[in-house]
Amino acid sequence: MSLPPLTPDQSVKPPRFELRLSLLYAAIFLPMGIHLPYFPLWLEHVGFGAREIGIVLAAPMFLRVVTTLLITASADRARDRANVLLVLSVSTLVLSFGYFLPPGYLLILGVSLALAVVWTPHAPIADSLALSGVRRFGSDYSRMRIWGSTAFLVANFGGGFLLSFTGIGAVPLLISVGMATVVAASLVVPRLGRPRKASPLSATELQEGAPSLLRPAFLYFVGGCGLVVASHGFLYAFSSIYWQSLGISGGVIGLLWSWSVVAEVGMFAIFTRLFGRTPAWRLVALAGLAAFLRWVAFPLIWPAGLGIAGFFAVQTLHALSTGLILIGLQKMIAETVPEDRTGAAQGIAFFANGVSMAAVTLGSGQLYAALGVNGFYVMAVIALAAVGLVLRGSRLTP
């Protein structure tokens, strides 16, 4: 389906477009860099058990796979996607204050569910804006997105450092401060207007307007991406708790998380040179194999006497198991999906990632309670299944 030509306004590149998108990515990933490694520790700190932690982390994931798809597609029909992002960021900041209330189980679960609706669409909408810049102005996606990973790194390291002094009880405050930076960045993000055609939401419209989104090759690909991402669910939910049980300090835990992001940033820096011509399906298959190796090795580190150095070694594989997924997915969308369906494609990919991650995270509480760190072997099986899906999809790709 052909697109109408760019209007004069759409052809004009906003001033400092890449800088403003880079600041947005940095702001979005700052609170994520606190929430991911330290929120489970805070839940344990306020008295939640492994099963309760698993539910609090997983329930919002099931909700957001539906709401994010609706919101991202609606953003494509709004007067400007950046305005939608501003409303969402303000709502997220206000809701984050709920964690300052007395931490009962139902209250924390309710706040987390509400946050999932308005927080999760931040990154997909930012990706949609960035990819419009890639198409219209020739912007480099990886050079903008790298600042999100850099901010995540700073939050991991800086958060661990601060919490070693303040105690884990300060996690809600750090999350809210991060949310405030998203509001500030949303005020200055470039306004690009509507996409040239709004992305429809219904399956029928998607099939008629962009059949590539519902072809088996596309579905196998995003399914494989989803499983590789989901295999990290056990790590995100319980690795900090496991490390703390070994007597590793909060500062070192922050360094371990930071090192994985350093590896990811390094991948962004060298990606074009090493993998610029590599097909997207090969990138994701390589990510799945790296995840398999990572999860098989993780439970063996401490018993083998490799200590903290061993954990740093397996965290280095984050460059492949996550870095290649992030870029590989966007590479596939940018090369095969027209601009007017970018929001819908992001939503479908997020749906696949979200359902898989939610299911794994929900089971992680029971898995950690039953197997402890050996639950990583189950994640290794999931990573291998992802490789199988991607290889199957590659055979169907023209």
Side-chain angles (χ1 to χ4, degrees):
M1 181 176 63
S2 62
L3 292 175
L6 290 169
T7 66
D9 288 342
Q10 290 173 326
S11 301
V12 176
K13 184 177 182 179
R16 299 181 179 85
F17 176 84
E18 288 84 2
L19 174 61
R20 292 156 73 184
L21 260 295
S22 298
L23 291 174
L24 176 63
Y25 275 119
I28 286 173
F29 282 87
L30 197 61
M32 291 182 184
I34 297 295
H35 186 273
L36 185 62
Y38 302 117
F39 187 64
L41 287 176
W42 181 74
L43 292 175
E44 186 183 52
H45 171 74
V46 297
F48 292 0
R51 291 177 177 83
E52 291 175 318
I53 292 173
I55 293 172
V56 169
L57 295 178
M61 295 180 183
F62 283 106
L63 177 63
R64 73 190 189 189
V65 297
V66 176
T67 59
T68 301
L69 182 62
L70 293 169
I71 291 172
T72 53
S74 297
D76 282 350
R77 295 194 295 271
R79 178 169 297 180
D80 199 297
R81 288 163 286 181
N83 294 335
V84 177
L85 180 62
L86 177 60
V87 172
L88 291 172
S89 64
V90 171
S91 302
T92 304
L93 174 62
V94 173
L95 285 171
S96 71
F97 297 149
Y99 288 136
F100 291 96
L101 300 174
Y105 173 67
L106 291 179
L107 173 66
I108 297 302
L109 179 59
V111 171
S112 298
L113 288 169
L115 272 174
V117 175
V118 294
W119 186 2
T120 312
H122 293 183
I125 292 177
D127 283 336
S128 181
L129 291 168
L131 289 182
S132 288
V134 171
R135 295 173 186 275
R136 298 182 189 182
F137 319 123
S139 301
D140 188 327
Y141 172 80
S142 63
R143 289 183 180 273
M144 295 181 285
R145 176 60 176 77
I146 194 174
W147 292 103
S149 296
T150 302
F152 191 90
L153 163 66
V154 171
N156 286 170
F157 177 72
F161 180 79
L162 288 173
L163 293 173
S164 66
F165 289 97
T166 63
I168 204 68
V171 166
L173 175 61
L174 295 182
I175 290 175
S176 293
V177 170
M179 299 301 188
T181 66
V182 183
V183 174
S186 299
L187 290 170
V188 300
V189 72
R191 266 57 182 173
L192 298 177
R194 290 187 179 94
R196 279 175 280 174
K197 183 174 173 61
S199 297
L201 182 62
S202 73
T204 300
E205 289 175 310
L206 284 173
Q207 190 171 27
E208 293 175 352
S212 61
L213 297 186
L214 296 179
R215 287 175 180 163
F218 179 87
L219 297 179
Y220 276 121
F221 185 89
V222 297
C225 288
L227 286 184
V228 175
V229 171
S231 73
H232 292 68
F234 193 74
L235 177 84
Y236 297 152
F238 290 103
S239 61
S240 292
I241 292 174
Y242 170 65
W243 285 328
Q244 189 176 63
S245 73
L246 298 176
I248 298 175
S249 68
V252 175
I253 290 173
L255 284 173
L256 285 167
W257 281 100
S258 300
W259 180 249
S260 68
V261 184
V262 168
E264 181 183 312
V265 171
M267 175 56 66
F268 285 142
I270 66 174
F271 174 82
T272 301
R273 186 164 60 252
L274 293 184
F275 298 106
R277 297 182 180 273
T278 304
W281 70 266
R282 288 184 185 174
L283 296 176
V284 177
L286 180 58
L289 292 174
F292 171 78
L293 177 61
R294 188 179 181 184
W295 311 143
V296 168
F298 202 101
L300 304 176
I301 297 298
W302 202 256
L306 299 178
I308 294 173
F311 288 126
F312 274 103
V314 295
Q315 288 294 83
T316 304
L317 288 172
H318 197 78
L320 299 175
S321 68
T322 296
L324 289 184
I325 286 289
L326 292 173
I327 302 180
L329 177 60
Q330 299 305 323
K331 179 181 174 70
M332 184 273 296
I333 292 175
E335 292 177 351
T336 64
V337 179
E339 181 183 351
D340 61 310
R341 296 298 186 270
T342 297
Q346 298 284 357
I348 291 172
F350 179 81
F351 184 85
N353 291 349
V355 168
S356 301
M357 176 67 85
V360 169
T361 305
L362 182 62
S364 290
Q366 297 281 358
L367 199 61
Y368 190 77
L371 301 178
V373 71
N374 291 327
F376 277 109
Y377 293 129
V378 179
M379 302 301 106
V381 174
I382 293 173
L384 272 187
V387 175
L389 283 180
V390 172
L391 292 178
R392 172 60 178 163
S394 71
R395 297 189 183 98
L396 301 176
T397 302

